[in-house]
Amino acid sequence: MVSLSEAREAPARQLWDEINSVHAGMLGLEGLHSHMQPMAPHADPKTNTIWFFTKKDAHIVQALKSGGRAHFCVVGKDHDYHACLSGKLEVREDKAKLDEYWNSVTAAWYEHGKNDPQLAMLALHVDDADIWASTDSTLKFGWEIAKANLSDDKTPDIGVRQHLAFA
């Protein structure tokens, strides 16, 4: 269950924790008429970067232009956390990150392991994000809806929305 107090007081830390707790989110390039695609994120909060493994012949790699921007959307594993992040996306070779994030799930996609000629890494340098954290309590949700319907000017208080800017 997502912590609403953490969403208010430490939203950046919560964002990176949520990204690292999901198996996949949706990644898409800005400005193109193409759909977002599921990708497994590897978050590096120290550099505000999300790393992805892909293949050199993947559509997203082929369509990516220098200086291209992307969005990455995440739904928390308990469906009470949502985030949309944006930033510059680039194909980047980084042996240290390859070694750090490589695992048996990733290895299953590459016939020649870390030396696969089709292996590519994408780095999303996050510059901003919007997050939404909501209560998963049916009782709290029901209470807030009832309160809002009994008052003319009360909106249900069922969560937190924050905008984050990263340097």
Side-chain angles (χ1 to χ4, degrees):
M1 177 166 75
V2 73
S3 164
L4 297 183
S5 61
E6 187 177 12
R8 287 182 189 95
E9 298 163 16
R13 182 180 65 222
Q14 184 181 49
L15 171 66
W16 296 115
D17 289 347
E18 288 290 327
I19 291 169
N20 276 328
S21 74
V22 298
H23 295 293
M26 298 296 285
L27 179 66
L29 298 173
E30 286 185 7
L32 295 180
H33 183 70
S34 62
H35 294 285
M36 297 180 91
Q37 63 185 57
M39 298 287 284
H42 303 280
D44 181 357
K46 291 180 203 124
T47 62
N48 300 322
T49 304
I50 304 173
W51 293 85
F52 306 93
F53 290 100
T54 190
K55 295 193 175 183
K56 291 177 180 174
D57 61 356
H59 179 264
I60 197 164
V61 173
Q62 299 300 311
L64 183 59
K65 305 279 190 248
S66 178
R69 292 186 54 81
H71 277 93
F72 183 64
C73 296
V74 175
V75 176
K77 61 183 178 179
D78 293 327
H79 304 279
D80 55 0
Y81 188 89
H82 299 79
C84 183
L85 303 88
S86 65
K88 181 181 167 192
L89 185 68
E90 66 177 337
V91 176
R92 190 155 148 221
E93 290 185 32
D94 189 314
K95 175 86 167 98
K97 291 299 176 188
L98 173 68
D99 290 340
E100 180 179 352
Y101 298 129
W102 190 262
N103 58 48
S104 60
V105 175
T106 302
W109 295 98
Y110 299 95
E111 184 178 339
H112 302 288
K114 294 179 188 178
N115 297 316
D116 195 298
Q118 280 297 310
L119 175 63
M121 291 184 76
L122 296 173
L124 176 62
H125 306 284
V126 178
D127 51 39
D128 79 322
D130 276 347
I131 66 155
W132 296 264
S134 58
T135 181
D136 70 344
S137 165
T138 304
L139 184 60
K140 165 108 169 115
F141 181 82
W143 170 251
E144 289 294 328
I145 297 302
K147 264 191 347 186
N149 282 316
L150 293 173
S151 171
D152 290 336
D153 56 30
K154 179 77 172 119
T155 302
D157 180 17
I158 59 168
V160 175
R161 178 186 180 272
Q162 295 269 35
H163 177 80
L164 305 172
F166 298 95

